[in-house]
Amino acid sequence: MAGREFHDGATDGLEALEPLDPEKIHSFSELLEAMRKTAFGGRRLGEAYETLAAMIEDSDCKVVLTLSGAMTIAKMGKIVSTMIDRGMVQAIISTGALVAHGLSESVGKLHYRHEASHSDEELFQKGYNRVYDTLEMESNLNYVEHVVSLTLKRINTEQPLSSHLLTRELGKTLAEEFEGPGILKSAYLKNVPVYIPAFTDSEMGLDVGTWAMGKRMDQARSQVKEGGDMAVLRALHQTCPVFNPYLDLNHYAEEVLGSKRLGIFTIGGGVPRNWAQQVAPYIEISNTRLGLNVQPPRFHYGVRICPEPDYWGGLSGCTYQEGISWGKFVPPAEGGRFAEVLSDATLVWPLLMVGLLERIPAKSVPACPP
Protein backbone atom coordinates (compact mmCIF):
# COMPACT_ATOMS: atom_id res chain seq x y z
CA MET A 1 0.00 0.00 0.00
CA ALA A 2 1.47 3.33 -1.09
CA GLY A 3 2.10 5.93 1.60
CA ARG A 4 -0.11 8.96 1.88
CA GLU A 5 1.01 12.35 0.59
CA PHE A 6 0.44 14.96 3.28
CA HIS A 7 -0.79 18.25 1.85
CA ASP A 8 -0.72 21.73 3.25
CA GLY A 9 -4.17 23.35 3.09
CA ALA A 10 -2.81 26.54 1.57
CA THR A 11 -1.34 24.74 -1.43
CA ASP A 12 -4.78 23.20 -2.10
CA GLY A 13 -6.44 26.60 -1.96
CA LEU A 14 -8.24 26.06 1.35
CA GLU A 15 -9.32 29.05 3.43
CA ALA A 16 -7.49 29.36 6.73
CA LEU A 17 -9.48 30.02 9.89
CA GLU A 18 -8.50 32.72 12.36
CA PRO A 19 -8.79 32.94 16.15
CA LEU A 20 -11.48 35.37 17.28
CA ASP A 21 -9.53 38.07 19.10
CA PRO A 22 -11.96 40.07 21.29
CA GLU A 23 -9.38 42.85 21.82
CA LYS A 24 -9.41 43.64 18.11
CA ILE A 25 -13.21 43.83 17.79
CA HIS A 26 -14.92 47.18 18.35
CA SER A 27 -18.34 46.75 16.73
CA PHE A 28 -21.03 44.20 15.97
CA SER A 29 -20.13 44.21 12.28
CA GLU A 30 -16.49 43.42 13.09
CA LEU A 31 -17.61 40.63 15.43
CA LEU A 32 -19.81 39.01 12.79
CA GLU A 33 -17.09 39.31 10.14
CA ALA A 34 -14.63 37.64 12.53
CA MET A 35 -17.09 34.86 13.34
CA ARG A 36 -17.17 33.87 9.65
CA LYS A 37 -13.54 32.75 10.05
CA THR A 38 -14.26 30.56 13.09
CA ALA A 39 -16.18 27.26 13.18
CA PHE A 40 -19.50 25.57 13.99
CA GLY A 41 -22.51 27.80 14.68
CA GLY A 42 -20.36 30.92 14.85
CA ARG A 43 -19.18 30.40 11.29
CA ARG A 44 -22.75 29.84 10.11
CA LEU A 45 -23.81 33.13 11.67
CA GLY A 46 -20.85 34.97 10.14
CA GLU A 47 -21.63 33.52 6.71
CA ALA A 48 -25.28 34.50 7.12
CA TYR A 49 -24.23 38.07 7.91
CA GLU A 50 -22.01 38.30 4.83
CA THR A 51 -24.71 36.80 2.58
CA LEU A 52 -27.45 39.02 4.00
CA ALA A 53 -25.30 42.11 3.57
CA ALA A 54 -24.44 41.09 0.00
CA MET A 55 -28.10 40.77 -1.02
CA ILE A 56 -29.02 44.10 0.59
CA GLU A 57 -26.03 45.89 -0.93
CA ASP A 58 -26.82 44.48 -4.38
CA SER A 59 -28.75 47.33 -6.02
CA ASP A 60 -30.24 44.94 -8.60
CA CYS A 61 -31.62 42.56 -5.95
CA LYS A 62 -35.18 42.60 -4.62
CA VAL A 63 -35.22 41.17 -1.08
CA VAL A 64 -38.21 39.17 0.17
CA LEU A 65 -38.56 38.80 3.95
CA THR A 66 -40.62 35.83 5.18
CA LEU A 67 -41.76 35.68 8.79
CA SER A 68 -43.24 32.97 11.00
CA GLY A 69 -43.32 32.28 14.70
CA ALA A 70 -44.31 34.71 17.44
CA MET A 71 -41.70 37.30 16.49
CA THR A 72 -43.77 40.38 17.31
CA ILE A 73 -44.81 39.02 20.71
CA ALA A 74 -41.10 38.31 21.19
CA LYS A 75 -40.54 42.07 20.64
CA MET A 76 -38.78 41.74 17.28
CA GLY A 77 -41.30 43.98 15.50
CA LYS A 78 -39.11 47.07 15.40
CA ILE A 79 -36.41 45.06 13.65
CA VAL A 80 -38.90 44.39 10.85
CA SER A 81 -40.05 48.01 10.61
CA THR A 82 -36.43 49.21 10.66
CA MET A 83 -35.55 46.88 7.80
CA ILE A 84 -38.46 48.37 5.85
CA ASP A 85 -37.55 51.96 6.77
CA ARG A 86 -33.92 51.41 5.74
CA GLY A 87 -34.87 49.95 2.35
CA MET A 88 -33.46 46.51 3.22
CA VAL A 89 -36.56 44.57 2.10
CA GLN A 90 -38.98 45.12 -0.78
CA ALA A 91 -41.70 42.55 0.03
CA ILE A 92 -42.88 40.75 3.17
CA ILE A 93 -44.70 37.43 3.49
CA SER A 94 -45.90 36.60 6.98
CA THR A 95 -48.21 34.58 9.13
CA GLY A 96 -51.36 36.45 10.06
CA ALA A 97 -50.82 35.99 13.79
CA LEU A 98 -47.44 37.70 13.64
CA VAL A 99 -48.94 40.73 11.89
CA ALA A 100 -51.96 40.82 14.24
CA HIS A 101 -49.77 40.84 17.35
CA GLY A 102 -47.64 43.52 15.69
CA LEU A 103 -50.80 45.57 15.18
CA SER A 104 -51.45 45.30 18.90
CA GLU A 105 -48.03 46.78 19.55
CA SER A 106 -48.46 49.44 16.84
CA VAL A 107 -51.51 50.94 18.58
CA GLY A 108 -49.71 51.24 21.90
CA LYS A 109 -50.75 48.02 23.61
CA LEU A 110 -48.31 46.03 25.75
CA HIS A 111 -47.22 42.42 26.12
CA TYR A 112 -46.24 41.09 29.52
CA ARG A 113 -43.85 38.55 30.98
CA HIS A 114 -45.53 35.33 32.08
CA GLU A 115 -44.88 34.17 35.62
CA ALA A 116 -44.80 30.40 36.11
CA SER A 117 -46.87 30.76 39.29
CA HIS A 118 -49.92 31.64 37.17
CA SER A 119 -51.74 28.61 35.80
CA ASP A 120 -53.14 28.58 32.28
CA GLU A 121 -56.64 28.19 33.76
CA GLU A 122 -56.09 31.41 35.73
CA LEU A 123 -54.74 33.16 32.64
CA PHE A 124 -57.85 32.20 30.69
CA GLN A 125 -60.15 33.61 33.36
CA LYS A 126 -58.24 36.90 33.34
CA GLY A 127 -58.16 37.20 29.55
CA TYR A 128 -54.44 36.59 29.24
CA ASN A 129 -53.34 34.60 26.17
CA ARG A 130 -49.99 32.86 26.76
CA VAL A 131 -47.38 32.50 24.02
CA TYR A 132 -44.51 30.51 25.58
CA ASP A 133 -43.19 32.92 28.25
CA THR A 134 -45.15 36.00 27.21
CA LEU A 135 -48.75 37.22 27.54
CA GLU A 136 -51.01 38.92 24.98
CA MET A 137 -54.06 40.58 26.50
CA GLU A 138 -57.40 39.57 24.98
CA SER A 139 -58.35 43.23 25.33
CA ASN A 140 -55.42 44.06 23.01
CA LEU A 141 -56.87 41.83 20.32
CA ASN A 142 -60.31 43.39 20.79
CA TYR A 143 -58.74 46.76 20.10
CA VAL A 144 -57.05 45.35 16.99
CA GLU A 145 -60.56 44.43 15.83
CA HIS A 146 -61.49 48.10 16.24
CA VAL A 147 -58.62 49.09 13.91
CA VAL A 148 -59.66 46.44 11.38
CA SER A 149 -63.30 47.59 11.47
CA LEU A 150 -62.22 51.22 11.12
CA THR A 151 -60.33 50.23 7.98
CA LEU A 152 -63.09 48.08 6.49
CA LYS A 153 -65.62 50.89 6.91
CA ARG A 154 -63.37 53.17 4.86
CA ILE A 155 -62.69 50.90 1.87
CA ASN A 156 -64.94 49.35 -0.78
CA THR A 157 -65.63 45.84 0.53
CA GLU A 158 -67.87 45.00 -2.42
CA GLN A 159 -64.76 44.59 -4.55
CA PRO A 160 -62.65 41.42 -4.03
CA LEU A 161 -60.17 41.79 -1.18
CA SER A 162 -56.80 40.16 -0.67
CA SER A 163 -54.26 40.18 2.14
CA HIS A 164 -51.89 42.66 0.48
CA LEU A 165 -54.77 45.07 -0.16
CA LEU A 166 -55.98 44.81 3.44
CA THR A 167 -52.53 45.15 5.00
CA ARG A 168 -51.86 48.22 2.86
CA GLU A 169 -55.11 49.83 4.03
CA LEU A 170 -54.43 48.87 7.65
CA GLY A 171 -51.04 50.54 7.27
CA LYS A 172 -52.79 53.66 6.00
CA THR A 173 -55.08 53.64 9.06
CA LEU A 174 -52.04 53.39 11.34
CA ALA A 175 -50.26 56.21 9.50
CA GLU A 176 -53.27 58.52 9.70
CA GLU A 177 -54.72 57.64 13.10
CA PHE A 178 -51.92 56.38 15.36
CA GLU A 179 -48.51 57.60 16.49
CA GLY A 180 -45.50 55.37 16.90
CA PRO A 181 -43.80 52.78 14.70
CA GLY A 182 -45.34 49.64 13.24
CA ILE A 183 -44.68 47.02 10.58
CA LEU A 184 -47.76 47.79 8.48
CA LYS A 185 -47.30 51.53 8.97
CA SER A 186 -43.73 51.37 7.66
CA ALA A 187 -44.79 49.06 4.84
CA TYR A 188 -47.49 51.52 3.76
CA LEU A 189 -45.18 54.54 3.91
CA LYS A 190 -42.41 52.76 1.96
CA ASN A 191 -44.73 51.00 -0.50
CA VAL A 192 -43.67 47.49 0.58
CA PRO A 193 -46.41 44.90 0.00
CA VAL A 194 -47.24 42.56 2.91
CA TYR A 195 -48.78 39.20 1.98
CA ILE A 196 -50.49 36.81 4.40
CA PRO A 197 -51.11 33.57 2.46
CA ALA A 198 -52.99 31.84 5.32
CA PHE A 199 -55.03 34.95 6.14
CA THR A 200 -57.94 33.20 7.88
CA ASP A 201 -55.46 31.58 10.30
CA SER A 202 -55.15 34.81 12.27
CA GLU A 203 -56.97 37.23 14.53
CA MET A 204 -57.33 39.59 11.56
CA GLY A 205 -58.95 36.84 9.51
CA LEU A 206 -61.47 36.26 12.29
CA ASP A 207 -62.03 40.01 12.56
CA VAL A 208 -62.88 40.29 8.85
CA GLY A 209 -65.17 37.25 9.07
CA THR A 210 -67.15 38.54 12.07
CA TRP A 211 -67.28 42.05 10.56
CA ALA A 212 -68.94 40.65 7.44
CA MET A 213 -71.40 38.65 9.55
CA GLY A 214 -72.16 41.70 11.70
CA LYS A 215 -73.47 43.53 8.65
CA ARG A 216 -76.11 40.78 8.28
CA MET A 217 -76.98 40.28 11.95
CA ASP A 218 -80.40 41.97 11.93
CA GLN A 219 -81.36 40.23 8.69
CA ALA A 220 -80.31 36.82 10.04
CA ARG A 221 -82.32 37.26 13.27
CA SER A 222 -85.41 38.21 11.32
CA GLN A 223 -85.05 35.18 9.03
CA VAL A 224 -84.44 32.63 11.81
CA LYS A 225 -87.53 32.23 13.97
CA GLU A 226 -86.50 29.10 15.89
CA GLY A 227 -83.29 27.48 17.07
CA GLY A 228 -81.85 30.34 19.07
CA ASP A 229 -78.39 31.86 18.62
CA MET A 230 -76.92 28.65 17.15
CA ALA A 231 -79.38 28.86 14.28
CA VAL A 232 -78.59 32.54 13.83
CA LEU A 233 -74.84 31.72 13.72
CA ARG A 234 -75.41 29.03 11.09
CA ALA A 235 -77.32 31.57 9.00
CA LEU A 236 -74.55 34.13 9.43
CA HIS A 237 -71.94 31.61 8.30
CA GLN A 238 -73.50 31.82 4.85
CA THR A 239 -72.18 35.39 4.72
CA CYS A 240 -68.53 35.50 3.65
CA PRO A 241 -66.27 38.45 2.77
CA VAL A 242 -65.39 38.80 -0.91
CA PHE A 243 -61.80 37.57 -0.58
CA ASN A 244 -59.63 36.25 -3.44
CA PRO A 245 -56.19 34.85 -2.48
CA TYR A 246 -55.20 34.63 -6.15
CA LEU A 247 -54.96 38.42 -6.15
CA ASP A 248 -52.04 37.95 -3.74
CA LEU A 249 -50.46 35.13 -5.74
CA ASN A 250 -50.48 37.02 -9.03
CA HIS A 251 -49.53 40.37 -7.49
CA TYR A 252 -46.48 38.78 -5.85
CA ALA A 253 -45.50 37.02 -9.07
CA GLU A 254 -45.67 40.35 -10.93
CA GLU A 255 -43.59 42.01 -8.20
CA VAL A 256 -40.69 39.57 -8.52
CA LEU A 257 -40.80 38.94 -12.28
CA GLY A 258 -39.31 42.34 -13.03
CA SER A 259 -36.27 41.82 -10.80
CA LYS A 260 -32.76 41.20 -12.10
CA ARG A 261 -31.91 39.24 -8.97
CA LEU A 262 -33.86 37.97 -5.96
CA GLY A 263 -32.93 37.41 -2.35
CA ILE A 264 -34.91 35.73 0.42
CA PHE A 265 -34.41 36.27 4.15
CA THR A 266 -36.42 33.77 6.17
CA ILE A 267 -37.25 33.73 9.86
CA GLY A 268 -38.59 30.26 10.70
CA GLY A 269 -40.42 28.31 8.03
CA GLY A 270 -44.11 27.64 7.58
CA VAL A 271 -46.44 28.79 4.83
CA PRO A 272 -44.69 32.18 4.31
CA ARG A 273 -41.39 30.59 3.33
CA ASN A 274 -42.81 28.06 0.91
CA TRP A 275 -45.35 30.49 -0.58
CA ALA A 276 -42.52 32.92 -1.31
CA GLN A 277 -40.44 30.22 -2.97
CA GLN A 278 -43.14 28.69 -5.15
CA VAL A 279 -43.14 31.61 -7.60
CA ALA A 280 -40.57 29.93 -9.88
CA PRO A 281 -42.57 26.65 -10.15
CA TYR A 282 -45.71 28.75 -10.71
CA ILE A 283 -44.13 30.45 -13.73
CA GLU A 284 -42.55 27.22 -14.93
CA ILE A 285 -45.80 25.26 -15.00
CA SER A 286 -47.51 28.25 -16.62
CA ASN A 287 -44.93 28.01 -19.40
CA THR A 288 -45.46 24.26 -19.77
CA ARG A 289 -49.26 24.22 -19.60
CA LEU A 290 -50.10 27.51 -21.27
CA GLY A 291 -47.45 27.61 -23.99
CA LEU A 292 -45.68 30.68 -22.55
CA ASN A 293 -41.97 31.46 -22.51
CA VAL A 294 -41.26 33.51 -19.37
CA GLN A 295 -38.00 33.24 -17.45
CA PRO A 296 -38.83 31.75 -14.00
CA PRO A 297 -37.62 34.06 -11.19
CA ARG A 298 -35.14 32.11 -9.03
CA PHE A 299 -33.49 33.31 -5.84
CA HIS A 300 -29.80 34.22 -6.11
CA TYR A 301 -29.38 34.82 -2.37
CA GLY A 302 -30.92 33.16 0.67
CA VAL A 303 -30.51 33.39 4.45
CA ARG A 304 -32.61 31.35 6.86
CA ILE A 305 -32.72 31.51 10.66
CA CYS A 306 -34.61 28.57 12.13
CA PRO A 307 -33.78 26.13 14.95
CA GLU A 308 -35.42 23.24 13.08
CA PRO A 309 -33.10 20.90 11.13
CA ASP A 310 -34.52 19.43 7.95
CA TYR A 311 -34.60 15.80 9.13
CA TRP A 312 -37.41 16.42 11.67
CA GLY A 313 -39.73 17.34 8.81
CA GLY A 314 -40.82 20.67 10.28
CA LEU A 315 -38.70 22.99 8.15
CA SER A 316 -41.70 23.78 5.93
CA GLY A 317 -39.90 24.66 2.76
CA CYS A 318 -36.76 22.46 2.64
CA THR A 319 -33.08 23.40 2.61
CA TYR A 320 -31.80 25.69 -0.11
CA GLN A 321 -29.87 22.79 -1.61
CA GLU A 322 -33.07 20.76 -1.90
CA GLY A 323 -34.88 23.79 -3.31
CA ILE A 324 -32.46 23.85 -6.25
CA SER A 325 -34.04 20.61 -7.48
CA TRP A 326 -37.41 22.40 -7.62
CA GLY A 327 -35.99 25.26 -9.67
CA LYS A 328 -36.49 27.74 -6.83
CA PHE A 329 -32.85 28.77 -6.39
CA VAL A 330 -29.85 29.52 -8.55
CA PRO A 331 -27.21 26.79 -7.93
CA PRO A 332 -23.96 27.94 -6.24
CA ALA A 333 -22.06 26.92 -9.39
CA GLU A 334 -24.06 29.61 -11.23
CA GLY A 335 -23.65 32.31 -8.59
CA GLY A 336 -26.19 31.31 -5.94
CA ARG A 337 -25.21 32.25 -2.40
CA PHE A 338 -26.99 30.83 0.64
CA ALA A 339 -26.58 30.52 4.40
CA GLU A 340 -28.65 28.76 7.07
CA VAL A 341 -28.39 29.31 10.83
CA LEU A 342 -29.87 26.66 13.12
CA SER A 343 -30.84 28.95 15.98
CA ASP A 344 -33.68 30.77 17.70
CA ALA A 345 -34.13 33.99 15.73
CA THR A 346 -34.47 36.05 18.93
CA LEU A 347 -30.83 35.18 19.70
CA VAL A 348 -29.17 35.98 16.39
CA TRP A 349 -31.49 38.29 14.42
CA PRO A 350 -30.77 41.31 16.68
CA LEU A 351 -27.02 40.72 16.24
CA LEU A 352 -27.37 40.58 12.47
CA MET A 353 -29.53 43.71 12.44
CA VAL A 354 -27.15 45.84 14.50
CA GLY A 355 -24.26 44.68 12.32
CA LEU A 356 -26.18 45.61 9.17
CA LEU A 357 -27.04 49.07 10.54
CA GLU A 358 -23.34 49.69 11.18
CA ARG A 359 -22.34 48.51 7.72
CA ILE A 360 -25.07 49.57 5.31
CA PRO A 361 -26.37 53.14 4.88
CA ALA A 362 -30.11 53.63 4.34
CA LYS A 363 -31.23 53.08 0.75
CA SER A 364 -33.12 55.79 -1.08
CA VAL A 365 -36.75 54.62 -0.94
CA PRO A 366 -40.06 56.39 -1.62
CA ALA A 367 -41.46 58.36 1.33
CA CYS A 368 -45.04 57.43 0.52
CA PRO A 369 -46.96 54.90 -1.59
CA PRO A 370 -47.87 55.74 -5.19
Side-chain angles (χ1 to χ4, degrees):
M1 182 176 179
R4 291 185 295 159
E5 179 183 353
F6 295 103
H7 288 219
D8 176 80
T11 60
D12 285 337
L14 303 182
E15 180 181 1
L17 302 180
E18 298 178 9
L20 195 153
D21 187 346
E23 295 187 351
K24 294 182 179 180
I25 293 172
H26 304 96
S27 67
F28 281 94
S29 57
E30 289 180 0
L31 173 63
L32 290 162
E33 289 165 5
M35 290 173 74
R36 191 189 67 80
K37 298 181 180 180
T38 62
F40 314 139
R43 187 196 300 171
R44 280 179 173 251
L45 181 58
E47 290 173 344
Y49 173 67
E50 293 293 339
T51 303
L52 187 56
M55 76 165 85
I56 292 171
E57 290 173 325
D58 185 343
S59 59
D60 290 328
C61 180
K62 174 169 284 189
V63 180
V64 178
L65 172 63
T66 79
L67 301 166
S68 65
M71 290 296 104
T72 42
I73 279 184
K75 316 316 290 179
M76 300 289 111
K78 288 196 73 173
I79 295 183
V80 181
S81 58
T82 300
M83 294 189 80
I84 298 170
D85 294 340
R86 291 298 191 101
M88 295 180 176
V89 297
Q90 287 73 53
I92 293 176
I93 302 163
S94 176
T95 61
L98 189 149
V99 173
H101 295 304
L103 261 176
S104 169
E105 194 173 61
S106 299
V107 296
K109 302 303 179 182
L110 300 176
H111 299 117
Y112 292 90
R113 176 180 175 136
H114 170 245
E115 300 296 339
S117 59
H118 298 157
S119 71
D120 288 301
E121 292 82 359
E122 179 185 357
L123 297 179
F124 172 74
Q125 293 299 328
K126 292 182 176 181
Y128 295 166
N129 300 301
R130 183 168 69 88
V131 182
Y132 304 110
D133 61 356
T134 302
L135 301 177
E136 171 78 273
M137 310 294 99
E138 186 65 27
S139 58
N140 290 359
L141 299 178
N142 287 336
Y143 195 77
V144 166
E145 187 276 332
H146 165 71
V147 179
V148 174
S149 294
L150 194 66
T151 302
L152 291 170
K153 290 175 183 177
R154 175 171 51 78
I155 65 177
N156 180 7
T157 55
E158 300 302 317
Q159 296 294 322
L161 300 173
S162 67
S163 69
H164 83 272
L165 294 172
L166 280 168
T167 53
R168 184 189 67 197
E169 294 301 323
L170 284 166
K172 182 178 181 180
T173 299
L174 293 176
E176 294 178 350
E177 304 289 340
F178 296 90
E179 296 182 359
I183 295 172
L184 295 186
K185 183 176 184 178
S186 290
Y188 170 74
L189 293 175
K190 299 300 183 182
N191 197 28
V192 172
V194 178
Y195 306 93
I196 303 175
F199 184 74
T200 57
D201 183 23
S202 70
E203 184 74 21
M204 289 185 302
L206 304 184
D207 291 342
V208 173
T210 54
W211 180 84
M213 290 190 292
K215 294 175 67 177
R216 295 282 305 276
M217 175 63 78
D218 291 341
Q219 181 182 355
R221 286 197 182 279
S222 65
Q223 289 176 341
V224 177
K225 304 300 183 183
E226 298 179 359
D229 285 350
M230 182 62 74
V232 172
L233 183 62
R234 290 195 180 103
L236 289 172
H237 280 170
Q238 305 305 310
T239 302
C240 298
V242 182
F243 190 93
N244 187 348
Y246 285 97
L247 293 174
D248 285 328
L249 179 64
N250 291 337
H251 186 273
Y252 173 64
E254 287 293 323
E255 284 285 306
V256 300
L257 274 171
S259 306
K260 290 184 178 180
R261 280 183 291 279
L262 285 174
I264 185 170
F265 179 34
T266 290
I267 303 298
V271 171
R273 171 185 164 114
N274 197 63
W275 194 86
Q277 295 174 176
Q278 72 176 357
V279 63
Y282 183 40
I283 299 303
E284 189 129 33
I285 63 174
S286 297
N287 287 338
T288 301
R289 299 172 188 176
L290 304 177
L292 302 176
N293 185 24
V294 178
Q295 181 64 37
R298 296 189 172 96
F299 289 98
H300 289 76
Y301 303 94
V303 173
R304 173 179 68 94
I305 304 174
C306 180
E308 190 81 5
D310 61 308
Y311 50 77
W312 291 126
L315 186 53
S316 303
C318 71
T319 62
Y320 293 127
Q321 190 66 33
E322 182 181 325
I324 292 171
S325 73
W326 288 83
K328 299 175 179 179
F329 301 100
V330 175
E334 299 175 20
R337 185 172 176 181
F338 310 107
E340 304 190 53
V341 183
L342 297 175
S343 178
D344 177 349
T346 63
L347 294 174
V348 300
W349 195 9
L351 300 178
L352 289 171
M353 189 63 204
V354 175
L356 291 172
L357 290 176
E358 291 175 346
R359 173 170 172 167
I360 301 174
K363 285 187 177 181
S364 176
V365 292
C368 60

